[in-house]
Amino acid sequence: MPGDSAAPSPQPGLTPSGQSSHQRSNLYIGLMSGTSLDGVDGVLMRHEDGAWRTLAHAHRPLPPPLRQALLDLNTPGHDELHRSAEAAQALVVLYATIVHALCTSADVLPSEVQAIGAHGQTVRHRPDLAYTWQLNHPALLAELTGIDVVADFRTRDMAAGGQGAPLVPAFHQALFGQPDQTVAVLNIGGMANVSILRPGQPPLGFDCGPGNALLDLWCESQTGHAYDANGEWGAAGEVREDWLTDALAEPFFSLLPPKSTGRDLFNPDWLSRWLAPHGLTDGPLGDTDVARDVQATLCELTARSAATAIQQHAPDATDVVVCGGGALNGDLMRRLGEQLPGVRVGRSDTHGLDVMQVEAAAFAWLAWRHVARLAGNVPEVTGARGPRVLGALYPAR
């Protein structure tokens, strides 16, 4: 945890004492901790004959001190370099724990895994200034696990003039694309991003606005709970259309792709600025009608901004596949369905992959692309000057 001065020790059984007799197979691990800061998801996948199969999934919540440290690092503060280093180290110890759990669950030796794709934790994303920052310590992760690590996926795309995000549309195409219809994949984590998959064309994709981040901020400030389970608290409120109109006036929503966003924009300051003209603050109101109305309006903001993006850029979509933590919010899913009449809106579970596994699986896929020296970005999505092999390799030996 941040503040601990002792260096982490290797996870038991993860660092082999010698070379294994097992031949390396097409096994890859993906690790993802997103902007929602609810925890880390990991998947162990096998790539065989062009298909991907999930062998194991593990989730670990972020310990409260680490979660708070990561939240604090999203805004400028004192002694950021030191605090960043401590948080990265603590995060990677958690990553290593998840890798251990995955290998144990699937009865796989670390020496059998080709590589780990570790995205790291985004604390700054400023494509307008041509930089992005994901807290990570991939060298330590390789040391703790005995497995090669591929990390730092975004910066190569940004060096080529791209936004560095989103990076999942190519994976979405491989997993959810259909030969005869247009599909939209909506990932709702802390932010929301959409991939548009048309037959015979490169995928398109972009961030469309806030996902769970504002919802979670408001819910925690009012109820003490980190999130609104199934959206039930907010569902008891009413959408205030004048509040929603003000929120949708945010200039980001009118930008054309390529575009990406994060907590650099949709954060507590944004929430305070939005509430102030309506005589509200982000301080506790308690379990009141007004507090629930704010939550309902924020939920509608996520649904309407995502639905508008899909209607504008994929009016021919027949299916919207929803993944990420937002797919577990029943009220949000209901609102999406209302905003997209005539379109089948469903969770990724029904298309073969659990909603909480999709992003982690994407980074297992991106690790494979790196090892195979294949491009991982889509220039039509990020705005980069061309396809690029993404990530940097940290060998275990």
Side-chain angles (χ1 to χ4, degrees):
M1 299 284 69
D4 293 344
S5 58
S9 57
Q11 295 295 312
L14 274 186
T15 305
S17 58
Q19 291 298 316
S20 167
S21 60
H22 288 71
Q23 187 71 25
R24 288 199 175 218
S25 59
N26 287 328
L27 299 177
Y28 291 84
I29 287 174
L31 299 171
M32 182 65 188
S33 48
T35 51
S36 60
L37 288 169
D38 55 350
V40 179
D41 284 283
V43 293
L44 172 63
M45 305 190 78
R46 184 188 301 279
H47 179 237
E48 199 166 39
D49 299 326
W52 288 85
R53 178 183 166 213
T54 303
L55 303 183
H57 170 239
H59 173 84
R60 297 290 185 275
L62 290 172
L66 176 57
R67 181 177 183 271
Q68 189 59 53
L70 294 171
L71 274 171
D72 291 345
L73 285 165
N74 276 269
T75 54
H78 172 70
D79 207 12
E80 285 182 291
L81 289 178
H82 176 71
R83 291 188 294 118
S84 295
E86 284 198 315
Q89 181 170 283
L91 180 64
V92 162
V93 171
L94 183 59
Y95 280 1
T97 302
I98 291 173
V99 171
H100 176 65
L102 291 169
C103 290
T104 300
S105 175
D107 195 21
V108 164
L109 292 174
S111 56
E112 294 179 277
V113 179
Q114 190 81 1
I116 298 168
H119 175 263
Q121 181 65 48
T122 300
V123 292
R124 301 289 168 84
H125 183 63
R126 295 295 304 271
D128 55 320
L129 299 176
Y131 81 86
T132 187
W133 191 251
Q134 286 71 50
L135 284 189
N136 205 346
H137 195 334
L140 178 60
L141 184 58
E143 191 68 25
L144 293 178
T145 61
I147 302 172
D148 291 356
V149 175
V150 183
D152 191 22
F153 290 96
R154 295 193 189 196
T155 56
R156 186 67 183 89
D157 181 87
M158 294 192 87
Q163 295 265 322
L167 297 180
V168 293
F171 173 70
H172 287 163
Q173 178 83 296
L175 194 67
F176 300 116
Q178 297 295 323
D180 56 357
Q181 61 189 29
T182 297
V183 175
V185 180
L186 179 62
N187 176 67
I188 307 176
M191 300 300 137
N193 57 71
V194 63
S195 300
I196 299 166
L197 317 175
R198 289 191 171 92
Q201 298 183 31
L204 300 177
F206 52 93
D207 288 354
C208 45
N212 302 316
L214 298 178
L215 287 166
D216 293 348
L217 281 169
W218 182 254
C219 182
E220 187 166 16
S221 73
Q222 303 305 307
T223 71
H225 298 294
Y227 63 94
D228 183 6
N230 199 34
E232 292 181 2
W233 183 63
E238 294 184 5
V239 174
R240 303 286 189 98
E241 287 294 335
D242 56 334
W243 298 358
L244 181 62
T245 298
D246 287 352
L248 288 169
E250 162 60 49
F252 175 82
F253 295 121
S254 61
L255 294 177
L256 294 175
K259 62 179 183 175
S260 57
T261 190
R263 288 183 183 268
D264 303 88
L265 174 58
F266 294 108
N267 55 29
D269 287 344
W270 188 96
L271 196 58
S272 295
R273 290 195 305 271
W274 172 62
L275 291 169
H278 306 288
L280 299 172
T281 71
D282 56 1
L285 300 176
D287 185 15
T288 65
D289 289 344
V290 173
R292 288 190 292 271
D293 289 352
V294 172
Q295 186 77 356
T297 305
L298 289 172
C299 192
E300 185 70 12
L301 172 65
T302 293
R304 199 171 297 189
S305 58
T308 298
I310 292 168
Q311 290 165 335
Q312 288 178 343
H313 298 278
D316 55 337
T318 58
D319 288 85
V320 174
V321 180
V322 186
C323 56
L328 303 176
N329 183 323
D331 187 43
L332 177 55
M333 291 294 288
R334 177 186 63 81
R335 293 177 188 278
L336 282 168
E338 290 175 353
Q339 291 294 321
L340 294 165
V343 179
R344 291 185 293 268
V345 179
R347 294 174 15 166
S348 63
D349 310 50
T350 60
H351 297 263
L353 194 58
D354 184 273
V355 298
M356 298 307 293
Q357 297 179 19
V358 176
E359 277 205 295
F363 284 92
W365 185 85
L366 283 165
W368 164 70
R369 298 288 290 186
H370 177 94
V371 170
R373 301 290 294 170
L374 297 171
N377 67 333
V378 180
E380 292 85 353
V381 169
T382 66
R385 287 184 286 274
R388 298 291 188 269
V389 177
L390 303 182
L393 177 66
Y394 293 77
R397 290 289 181 271

